[in-house]
């Protein structure tokens, strides 16, 4: 039996046990964590890339607040190297849901001189941290909700749900506060803040199943579309102004979808004909590469890269 | 596509793995992840690149799967609780991987508080079968005692490295009997012992010819079938109030949110509020799934009452009348000390109980858990004559705790929500201790 057959033939619950359905359990856990943020902090915000994980968090946050309004703003760190589909999705989302959006522009940090690019087309991902920290300081946020999951990276397996950051926004892997039951120790002193991860316990498959169940809208690039790409080092590199073909490379048009949204200069699609969340789930089950490995050029090099960036304040 | 994939499955099972260094814990977790195909190709590749990835036998070293932080990799030990995920077609699992090193009892306490089940490893190579009565190792007694104290619903004893003793059924039986005696002395819930070789895979996902003499299930099918409950045996529904929201479309009606504990709560039920003592009737309930008539324990709910009630974060909603609220200010509790700064008797700490923060102090210590044998010992005066002298990180004590205010406390065995608290050092904000009300 293949993995796909096994999943398709999996038993389902009976009517009266539906409360503790897998996704309901994860949903309840996330809602509870979000309400800790709503009730327990003075100046919280939700960090959102408008990628699938942060959109799931936003969906959960709206449920946690219902029937009231979302009680906190959304923060987007804009690298200036965005897929246009993501920015138009962002604008639509804000209009549709009447949420408050705060954008931190990487270009502002460049103008101020707090970010100095080595060359203009360099990947901007490593610099997001600086703009993020500037946005946190300017708004005096004391809690920042994010969509990171523990299964994404080995270095994240030990991350707390409420992750304490010192006044330099640094993560201290040796001084993490133990988390007991759901009695989170959210006490901080001036200048410190928490990063909060309501979907810590979700896997990529959970996220897609939830998107399918809840009909959560995503930027169109998450589903199959035709795109000009270059095959480079086992990756499909999208052809853009920032990532033009190199001498001798051939541009081909492929059916692709993206698995994460990020800086254009370092986010690659995968070949796919998945047109819906259910299609993506089937692909995911038989996937042979985990999310970041296949699509983020900057993570490939080093297993410990994530850990280093976390220490520096990246999510 | 009509079949829901991983929609409509039973809730995930959370388990903690407890073992001492070299018992094979990392190998077991690696095997579970590996065999359940959770290891994707690129993770396998980076595993191959990692230092020393090949064991002497040339086999893939499964224990490297669970390594996390750079520093740990250098030291070759796991120093913190890490969470791992894997799924089978039947269920999703969340592993709290707690380290086996002696001084890290605190991590087992932490990991257990987020677990339903404990998988306790016993390394048969470390046991002396030549002795007429088989003695289990001190760490096994410690792990069992902690699993009992933290109220885990099931204990699975993974009798590991059976390959090293030729899958000897009689020796397995001796281990089971020794553990049975320990469990009885600790008054533990029922346990299931399973013979296995984490290294070779026998007894993990399925039994093999080498373990065919064993009548019970292999580890994974056993975990897949375990029933766990969100409630602990309490009878009164209660909610620690997390946050209050307003429905702006409906006369700014207030909705009170929190997690329902221990019992169901339905529209029409009478409740009272702690500390105000106000009473009300439940007018409407909603969860992430929408409006419902009756909520079950474990659900994150928002509730509207039939009248305006003065209520805020930190309060409790308790089913029944206010007269039925039993409030206690001073009580006995088990304290697991976690902080590197030792406990100071009489010092003012801040405590979180439910969603309420308040000052509290430990007024007396009556007993200490001997981690070598899992037995409680009355504290006796030391040389300096101070019976309260040293409660350090990883110590477990029975103590009297005095809260700044009377609270609706319940024994931890009856309610994790009303029976658990954390103590925080007001100077450093470090999480100092986990407490469980008697
Ligand atoms: N013979 C045998 N050796 C094992 C078994 N499980 C683990 N080991 C070995 O025991 C040693 C310690 O294993 P490891 O998983 O690192 O232990 P941990 O410290 O508990 O995580 C390694 O050399 C493993 O190969 C087993 O079932 N049989």
């Amino acid at each position: 039996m293949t993995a796909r057959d096994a999943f398709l033939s999996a038993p389902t619950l009976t009517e009266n046990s539906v409360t503790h359905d897998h996704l309901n359990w994860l949903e309840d856990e996330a809602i509870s964590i979000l309400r800790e943020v709503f009730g327990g902090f003075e100046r919280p915000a939700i960090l959102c890339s408008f990628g699938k994980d942060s959109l799931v968090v936003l969906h959960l946050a709206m449920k946690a607040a219902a029937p009231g309004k979302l009680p906190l703003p959304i923060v987007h760190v804009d690298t200036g190297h965005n897929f246009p589909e993501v920015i138009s999705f962002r604008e639509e989302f804000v209009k549709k849901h009447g949420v408050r959006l705060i954008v931190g522009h990487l270009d502002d940090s460049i103008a101020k001189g707090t970010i100095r690019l080595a060359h203009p087309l360099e990947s901007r991902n490593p610099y997001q941290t600086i703009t993020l920290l500037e946005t946190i300081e300017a708004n005096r946020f004391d809690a920042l909700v994010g969509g990171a999951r523990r299964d994404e990276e080995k270095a994240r397996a030990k991350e707390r749900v409420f992750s304490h950051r010192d006044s330099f926004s640094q993560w201290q892997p040796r001084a993490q506060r133990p988390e007991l039951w759901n009695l989170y120790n959210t006490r901080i002193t001036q200048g410190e803040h928490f990063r909060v991860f309501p979907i810590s316990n979700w896997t990529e498959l959970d996220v897609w199943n939830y998107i399918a169940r809840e009909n959560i809208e995503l930027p169109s690039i998450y589903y199959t579309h035709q795109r000009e790409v270059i095959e480079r080092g086992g990756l499909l590199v999208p052809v853009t102004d920032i990532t033009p073909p190199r001498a001798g490379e051939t541009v081909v048009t492929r059916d692709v979808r993206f698995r994460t949204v990020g800086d254009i200069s370092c986010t690659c699609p995968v070949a796919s004909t998945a047109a819906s969340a259910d299609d993506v789930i089937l692909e995911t089950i038989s996937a042979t590469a985990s999310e970041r490995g296949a699509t983020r050029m900057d993570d490939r090099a080093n297993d410990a890269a994530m850990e280093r960036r976390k220490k520096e304040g990246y999510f | 596509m009509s079949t829901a994939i991983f929609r409509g499955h039973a809730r995930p099972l959370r388990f903690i793995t407890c073992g001492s260094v070299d018992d094979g814990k990392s190998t077991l977790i690696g095997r579970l992840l590996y065999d359940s195909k959770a290891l994707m190709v690129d993770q396998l590749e980076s595993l191959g690149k990692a230092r020393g990835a090949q064991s002497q036998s040339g086999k893939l070293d499964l224990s490297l799967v669970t390594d996390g932080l750079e520093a740990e990799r250098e030291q070759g030990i796991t120093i913190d609780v890490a969470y791992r995920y894997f799924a089978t077609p039947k269920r999703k699992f969340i592993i709290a991987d707690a380290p086996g090193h002696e001084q890290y009892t605190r991590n087992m306490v932490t990991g257990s508080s987020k677990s339903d089940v404990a998988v306790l490893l016993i390394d048969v190579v470390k046991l002396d079968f030549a002795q007429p009565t088989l003695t289990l190792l001190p760490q096994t007694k410690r792990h069992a005692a902690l699993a009992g104290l933290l109220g885990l619903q099931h204990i699975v004893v993974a009798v590991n490295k059976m390959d090293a003793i030729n899958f000897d059924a009689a020796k397995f039986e001796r281990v089971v009997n020794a553990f049975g005696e320990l469990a009885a002395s600790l008054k533990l819930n029922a346990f299931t012992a399973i013979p296995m070789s984490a290294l070779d895979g026998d007894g993990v996902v399925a039994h093999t010819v080498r373990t065919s003499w064993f009548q019970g299930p292999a580890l994974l099918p056993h975990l897949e079938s375990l029933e766990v409950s969100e409630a602990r045996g309490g009878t009164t529904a209660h909610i620690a109030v997390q946050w209050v929201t307003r429905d702006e479309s409906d006369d700014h009606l207030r909705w009170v949110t929190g997690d329902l504990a221990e019992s169901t709560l339905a529209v029409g039920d009478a409740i009272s509020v702690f500390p105000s003592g106000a009473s009300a009737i439940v007018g409407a309930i909603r969860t992430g799934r929408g409006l419902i008539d009756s909520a079950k324990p474990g659900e994150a709910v928002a509730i509207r009452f039939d009248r305006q009630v003065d209520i805020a974060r930190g309060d409790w909603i308790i089913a029944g009348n206010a007269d039925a609220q039993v409030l206690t200010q001073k009580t006995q509790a088990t304290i697991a000390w976690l902080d590197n700064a030792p406990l100071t008797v009489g010092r003012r700490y801040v405590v979180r109980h439910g969603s309420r923060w308040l000052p509290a102090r430990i007024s007396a210590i009556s007993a200490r858990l001997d981690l070598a044998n899992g037995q409680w010992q009355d504290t006796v005066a030391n040389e300096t004559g101070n019976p309260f002298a040293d409660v350090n990180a990883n110590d477990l004590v029975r103590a009297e705790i005095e809260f700044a205010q009377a609270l609706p406390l319940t024994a931890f065995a009856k309610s994790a929500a009303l029976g658990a608290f954390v103590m925080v050092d007001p100077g450093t904000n470090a999480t100092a201790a986990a407490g469980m009300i008697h």
Side-chain angles (χ1 to χ4, degrees), chain A residues 255-304:
Chain A
D255 289 324
V256 296
R257 68 178 170 89
F258 286 86
R259 300 175 73 189
T260 59
V261 299
D263 184 324
I264 269 196
S265 69
C266 65
T267 306
C268 298
V270 291
S272 169
T273 54
S276 68
D278 277 337
D279 291 348
V280 173
I281 291 165
L282 287 178
E283 273 190 13
T284 304
I285 289 167
S286 40
T288 50
S290 73
E291 193 161 330
R292 282 174 175 271
T295 59
R296 286 274 176 99
M297 291 184 252
D298 58 348
D299 272 348
R300 283 219 97 150
N302 193 340
D303 211 25

Side-chain angles (χ1 to χ4, degrees), chain A residues 42-295:
Chain A
E42 302 279 325
R43 301 179 65 85
I46 296 185
L47 185 62
C48 184
S49 64
F50 292 88
K52 70 177 194 317
D53 297 314
S54 38
L55 287 167
V56 163
V57 171
L58 275 183
H59 183 83
L60 289 160
M62 289 188 284
K63 282 194 177 199
K69 271 200 188 157
L70 202 63
L72 72 183
I74 297 172
V75 172
H76 181 219
V77 176
D78 189 335
T79 60
H81 282 179
N82 301 294
F83 288 98
E85 294 91 337
V86 177
I87 295 302
S88 61
F89 182 92
R90 179 184 85 186
E91 298 311 313
E92 279 294 306
F93 188 95
V94 169
K95 224 184 293 162
K96 183 169 167 190
H97 298 285
V99 291
R100 192 154 79 85
L101 177 72
I102 295 171
V103 181
H105 292 277
L106 213 107
D107 285 321
D108 291 347
S109 308
I110 294 171
K112 268 194 291 187
T114 48
I115 291 178
R116 288 199 194 136
L117 299 176
H119 61 90
L121 294 189
E122 192 187 359
S123 163
R124 292 183 166 195
N125 262 10
Y127 298 103
Q128 284 184 60
T129 313
I130 295 168
T131 307
L132 172 62
L133 298 187
E134 287 172 359
T135 312
I136 292 172
E137 275 182 27
N139 292 277
R140 289 180 291 116
F141 292 130
D142 56 1
L144 222 58
V145 177
R149 294 180 280 111
R150 290 195 187 117
D151 82 324
E152 283 177 281
E153 281 284 332
K154 278 196 268 178
R156 278 196 177 140
K158 288 156 201 200
E159 182 63 281
R160 299 297 189 253
V161 174
F162 282 79
S163 181
H164 181 252
R165 301 300 155 107
D166 65 17
S167 51
F168 289 95
S169 284
Q170 292 178 105
W171 178 69
Q172 299 290 349
R174 280 171 200 283
Q176 294 199 85
R177 296 176 180 178
E179 279 181 348
L180 299 137
W181 302 287
N182 51 5
L183 300 176
Y184 300 107
N185 173 5
T186 52
R187 299 176 78 85
I188 44 173
T189 53
Q190 195 66 39
E192 300 176 341
H193 73 274
F194 274 92
R195 302 284 172 89
V196 187
F197 306 110
I199 60 167
S200 281
N201 281 332
W202 298 41
T203 57
E204 192 188 2
L205 203 53
D206 294 329
V207 167
W208 277 111
N209 270 297
Y210 192 68
I211 288 167
R213 185 182 92 168
E214 303 282 313
N215 282 314
I216 297 173
E217 279 181 61
L218 302 182
S220 57
I221 61 171
Y222 272 106
Y223 300 111
T224 189
H225 58 285
Q226 294 204 322
R227 188 176 285 269
E228 292 192 326
V229 293
I230 304 147
E231 290 177 15
R232 188 187 293 162
L235 295 167
L236 296 177
V237 180
V239 178
T240 66
D241 296 347
I242 297 156
T243 52
R246 293 178 191 158
E249 285 183 329
T250 349
V251 175
V252 290
T253 301
R254 284 288 168 78
D255 289 324
V256 296
R257 68 178 170 89
F258 286 86
R259 300 175 73 189
T260 59
V261 299
D263 184 324
I264 269 196
S265 69
C266 65
T267 306
C268 298
V270 291
S272 169
T273 54
S276 68
D278 277 337
D279 291 348
V280 173
I281 291 165
L282 287 178
E283 273 190 13
T284 304
I285 289 167
S286 40
T288 50
S290 73
E291 193 161 330
R292 282 174 175 271
T295 59

Side-chain angles (χ1 to χ4, degrees), chain B residues 158-229:
Chain B
V159 182
N160 192 33
K161 305 198 189 176
M162 286 298 293
D163 59 301
I165 55 164
N166 295 317
F167 290 91
D168 186 328
K171 285 180 177 162
F172 172 74
E173 211 47 47
R174 291 183 66 192
V175 175
V176 175
N177 290 337
F179 194 86
E181 280 173 31
L182 175 66
S185 78
L186 293 169
K187 300 190 185 65
L188 296 184
N189 296 334
F191 67 93
T192 309
I194 301 172
M196 69 184 66
S197 166
L199 193 62
D200 299 337
D202 316 66
V204 180
V205 170
H207 282 296
T208 60
V209 282
R210 304 197 293 182
T211 47
S212 57
W213 46 266
F214 179 67
Q215 300 299 312
L219 178 63
L220 195 59
H222 181 60
L223 294 174
E224 282 178 329
S225 68
L226 276 179
E227 295 263 353
V228 287
S229 159

Side-chain angles (χ1 to χ4, degrees), chain B residues 20-27 63 160-161 163-164 196-199:
Chain B
S20 289
V21 175
D22 284 346
D23 285 355
K25 187 165 58 64
S26 311
T27 306
S63 69
N160 192 33
K161 305 198 189 176
D163 59 301
M196 69 184 66
S197 166
L199 193 62

